[in-house]
Amino acid sequence: MTTITEPHAVIEEHYQPSPRIATIALNELRGGLRGFYILIACIALGVAVITAVGGLSDALRKGFERQGAVLLGGDVALARAHRRAEPDERAWMTARGKVSETVTFRAMARRGDNTEDALVEIKGVDDAYPLVGDLKLRTGDAKGEPLGAGGAVVEEILLERLKVRVGDRIRIGRSEVEIRAVIVTEPDKITNRLSFGPRVMLSLPTLLETGLIGPGSLVRWRYALKLPQEPSAPALASMQSQVRKDWPNAGFQVLDRRDPAPRVTKTLERLRQFLTLIGLTSLLIGGVGVANAVTTYIERRRKVIATMRALGSTTRQILILHLTQVLLLAVLGILLGLAVGLSLPPLLMWSLGSVLPVQPELALGAETVFLAIAYGLIVTLLFSIWPLGRAEQIKPAVLFREEAGGERVRLRWPYLAGSAAMAATLLGLALWTSESQRIALSFCAAVAGIFLLFTGLGQLIAWVARRLPRPRRPELALAIAGLGAPGGLTRSVVLSLGSGLSLLAAVAAVDGSIVSELQGRLPKAAPNFFVLDIPNGELGRFNALVARERPGAHLNHAPMLRGRLVDLAGRPAESVKAPPQAQWVLNGDRGLTYAEDVPEGSRVVAGKWWERGYAGPPLVSFEAELARQLGLALGDSITVNVLGRNITARIANLREVEWESLAINFVMVFSPNTLKAAPHNMLATITLPLNTSLADEADLARTIGRIYPTVTAIRVKDAINSFNTIFEKVMVAVRAAGGVTLLAGALVLAGAFATSQRRRTKQAVILKALGGTRGRIVGSHLLEYALLAVVTSVVALAVGNLVGWAVLWRIMDVPYVFSWGPALQVLGLSLGLVLALGGIGTWRILSAPAVPYLKGE
């Protein structure tokens, strides 16, 4: 940094009009940015994360808007469960545009010799499919039209699972179909429900011959409409209103090209908000580096500021000058962060394009840029106002009395108020930009709590170290003295390292507990299979088949229909503002059942169950926690649309459901007289004796498939493993995001070591002059760093696991399980970072020439 050698000239410049303050600040920064590289890097890192997340989100959102018709398959789509469109409904659609009809459901695909089978997602399409976009296929050597009579096109992974190839035949239901092509691109796949298996696509006539579609089958019919003219947003909204007006009880879910996949849109928005909060956390951790850099800068300029005060500079002039310098540096960091952040989305789009849910289009919203800049400036002010306030405490006496710099000072209320105002602004901005204010508030409160905790821990460690008796071993005595030194590393290391490690520990706790719950805590009597679409009239024969093939098997069964909630206690479902963890109940169709008795795995916690043979007005039992989140109580009415008919029932009781038991359970269970007459099939679970081998399980599944080709048997462990695979990918992304905060902590650590280098170099020079060996100096430093790392990581582990426990208990309702693996990883990261950065700093200290320090230069 350039040293001011002509105080009179500086004062003259200070009395110039205020627009020249920036010029003066720039002039003083001409000597270089030494001491500010960490400040710039900390700001740039947080801004880059926020910009990159926002940029990728904007690109995906733009892709949705531009490709909405392709993703939806048309301008508007109507869908419902169970029931195909009636002739008058189809005529209504045809009068408004070109129509394409599709149907989707789950089923089993089997090799012709019945030796291999796989759960697949069936899709039947008509000749008009797709109305918009292209279905791209790889045909190979197969003959005939890919979707002609008796033909099928499949995703490539199915070929591997069934050990077949293009041209081979597979069994679907009661029919054999020939694989004639492999699906390369399915334009409207994103708008279908979550897939648990590879796609198999057939023509509707071919599909109807399989016997898989009948009364009560769990199928979803969908009708895409391409309007004759390019529709405007008001026209699309009007179309949705017209469907509800003309067909109020038809049970159609209506979507249009403006938001072709609300579930995906909402998921992407929540992911954007989560990653933005992660970026904000890294920015806040980097704020510690900002505060350290500004504090060091003010300390280095003590004599300059004292001279300025002696020559008549006011407190306001000194504050504005230094604040301007800090803001100029922050702007540089923000610009670097924006540059890096803007370059990341194209790279991510290029590298992750095949796994993204939609083809993104380069776009950057003004909101994203504003948010990144605003967060960068607010965090800079939040962490720099406090140390800048110390500048006004520097008196002219510093020129004559060096120890004045060590006096304790109290900041005046304007600086405290300014810091509080910046903190409130930061909180308000986070709440304003979050879909869930409760989650954003909890996140900010947790971050603030962690900051306060580790700030207090740093103070406590320094306080204890100053009062500990000095041990005889010189290395340990020097290490403890370093921990308690007024200008030591303790506070910076504990705060920066502890914050990042706490987040990683929390993520590891959640990850480990969920994996343990899914893999190791299944009930001993967990079913082996869920069996779907058992014909209602065949239940007795099906039970007899299982009992004959596997004596000792336990079967549980329940009727299963699908319906959509349309009204809750007089409130239209579309208008209900449910919390994120309950919103899924209102989205699309839900599984429904009826029962004479309380289902296994459920317990009535409010109200009474209906009597056997009840024949009064329709009643329903609702899951208790979801009822609370949706604002429902005993006696309230709900309306569901089942098979195009609105059914209203009164909530007779609330149930607490043990979902982890894997027994058959539903959110809504109706009294039998409500749904018994509706066409439906049965859902069953099969629990085999504990000593049943995997080969026997597979043999039973093949037997069921051979005798009941329209039935779908899903192995429970396979379904859990599929979920584990998806969950592991999500957690990898979350851990990577958490790693950004640790990177911010590493930057702050590097800054802290650099800040203390001069003091430590002087100390090392004096120790060497008094006979201290390099080994003892290095040993004392490394011992100090190791003590800090161990204490900080232990506390970070405790805090992270506490946060993880709270998330598991309050949000996920999953038992907490402590895992030693993540704990040792956190401890290893802490030791590795501190010892590596500290070792580099110690090497530079021991390499410094001794003469300048001994001469007091």
Side-chain angles (χ1 to χ4, degrees), residues 806-856:
V807 170
L808 291 163
W809 173 57
R810 296 285 298 178
I811 298 176
M812 298 183 176
D813 195 23
V814 172
Y816 164 79
V817 176
F818 179 78
S819 176
W820 277 106
L824 294 176
Q825 289 176 6
V826 168
L827 180 60
L829 269 174
S830 175
L831 283 169
L833 269 176
V834 174
L835 292 179
L837 291 173
I840 294 171
T842 300
W843 176 79
R844 294 180 63 186
I845 287 168
L846 294 176
S847 302
V851 174
Y853 291 93
L854 294 175
K855 291 173 63 177

Side-chain angles (χ1 to χ4, degrees), residues 367-385:
E367 180 185 342
T368 295
V369 177
F370 165 77
L371 199 63
I373 294 174
Y375 276 138
L377 289 176
I378 293 171
V379 168
T380 300
L381 290 171
L382 174 62
F383 284 91
S384 61
I385 288 177

Side-chain angles (χ1 to χ4, degrees), residues 682-694:
M682 304 297 289
L683 165 68
T685 60
I686 302 176
T687 306
L688 301 174
L690 292 177
N691 59 354
T692 303
S693 66
L694 292 177

Side-chain angles (χ1 to χ4, degrees), residues 3-18:
T3 303
I4 297 178
T5 57
E6 298 182 6
H8 291 284
V10 172
I11 297 304
E12 288 177 5
E13 288 196 78
H14 275 228
Y15 282 106
Q16 298 300 320
S18 57

Side-chain angles (χ1 to χ4, degrees), residues 575-845:
S575 66
V576 175
K577 301 298 182 184
Q581 61 268 32
Q583 184 64 42
W584 63 272
V585 181
L586 307 176
N587 297 336
D589 303 314
R590 298 269 66 81
L592 309 174
T593 192
Y594 62 84
E596 290 277 9
D597 303 308
V598 180
E600 182 182 333
S602 289
R603 181 172 63 90
V604 175
V605 294
K608 293 183 179 179
W609 195 262
W610 42 82
E611 299 176 355
R612 294 182 66 85
Y614 172 80
L619 300 176
V620 64
S621 173
F622 213 94
E623 201 276 331
E625 179 60 22
L626 285 169
R628 182 187 65 79
Q629 293 171 346
L630 294 172
L632 296 172
L634 290 177
D636 286 344
S637 64
I638 63 168
T639 301
V640 294
N641 187 280
V642 183
L643 297 171
R645 177 186 171 192
N646 282 347
I647 298 174
T648 301
R650 181 176 60 84
I651 297 178
N653 60 75
L654 301 175
R655 287 170 298 118
E656 190 176 85
V657 179
E658 297 176 5
W659 299 107
E660 65 274 12
S661 70
L662 298 184
I664 299 178
N665 258 302
F666 295 80
V667 172
M668 292 170 279
V669 179
F670 289 82
S671 56
N673 62 319
T674 306
L675 299 176
K676 196 170 186 177
H680 62 271
N681 287 332
M682 304 297 289
L683 165 68
T685 60
I686 302 176
T687 306
L688 301 174
L690 292 177
N691 59 354
T692 303
S693 66
L694 292 177
D696 288 340
E697 280 189 30
D699 185 58
L700 176 62
R702 284 192 291 268
T703 302
I704 292 173
R706 186 178 66 253
I707 298 176
Y708 292 98
T710 62
V711 164
T712 302
I714 303 174
R715 189 168 176 263
V716 172
K717 290 182 179 178
D718 290 341
I720 291 175
N721 289 338
S722 297
F723 177 82
N724 281 345
T725 301
I726 297 172
F727 175 76
E728 182 59 30
K729 291 180 180 177
V730 172
M731 292 310 296
V732 167
V734 172
R735 283 192 291 268
V740 174
T741 63
L742 195 62
L743 177 58
L747 286 174
V748 176
L749 278 179
F753 284 117
T755 299
S756 66
Q757 183 174 345
R758 181 174 178 81
R759 180 184 64 81
R760 286 182 169 261
T761 302
K762 190 171 184 177
Q763 180 190 61
V765 166
I766 294 172
L767 288 173
K768 285 195 290 183
L770 294 175
T773 64
R774 296 174 68 92
R776 284 191 167 178
I777 296 173
V778 171
S780 67
H781 284 195
L782 294 182
L783 190 55
E784 177 187 349
Y785 303 152
L787 288 172
L788 269 180
V790 170
V791 173
T792 303
S793 58
V794 168
V795 175
L797 270 175
V799 172
N801 279 272
L802 181 63
V803 172
W805 169 82
V807 170
L808 291 163
W809 173 57
R810 296 285 298 178
I811 298 176
M812 298 183 176
D813 195 23
V814 172
Y816 164 79
V817 176
F818 179 78
S819 176
W820 277 106
L824 294 176
Q825 289 176 6
V826 168
L827 180 60
L829 269 174
S830 175
L831 283 169
L833 269 176
V834 174
L835 292 179
L837 291 173
I840 294 171
T842 300
W843 176 79
R844 294 180 63 186
I845 287 168

Side-chain angles (χ1 to χ4, degrees), residues 125-185:
V125 301
D126 61 7
D127 293 337
Y129 176 85
L131 290 178
V132 184
D134 297 314
L135 174 65
K136 296 181 180 179
L137 305 174
R138 189 175 69 248
T139 56
D141 298 328
K143 307 298 183 183
E145 284 295 319
L147 288 172
V153 298
V154 304
E155 287 188 306
E156 189 160 18
I157 190 173
L158 183 64
L159 304 181
E160 299 176 13
R161 291 185 182 178
L162 295 184
K163 299 180 176 60
V164 294
R165 57 187 177 181
V166 174
D168 289 347
R169 303 183 71 83
I170 58 174
R171 292 194 63 82
I172 302 289
R174 297 192 180 97
S175 302
E176 276 197 1
V177 296
E178 180 186 10
I179 301 175
R180 294 179 180 168
V182 172
I183 299 173
V184 177
T185 302

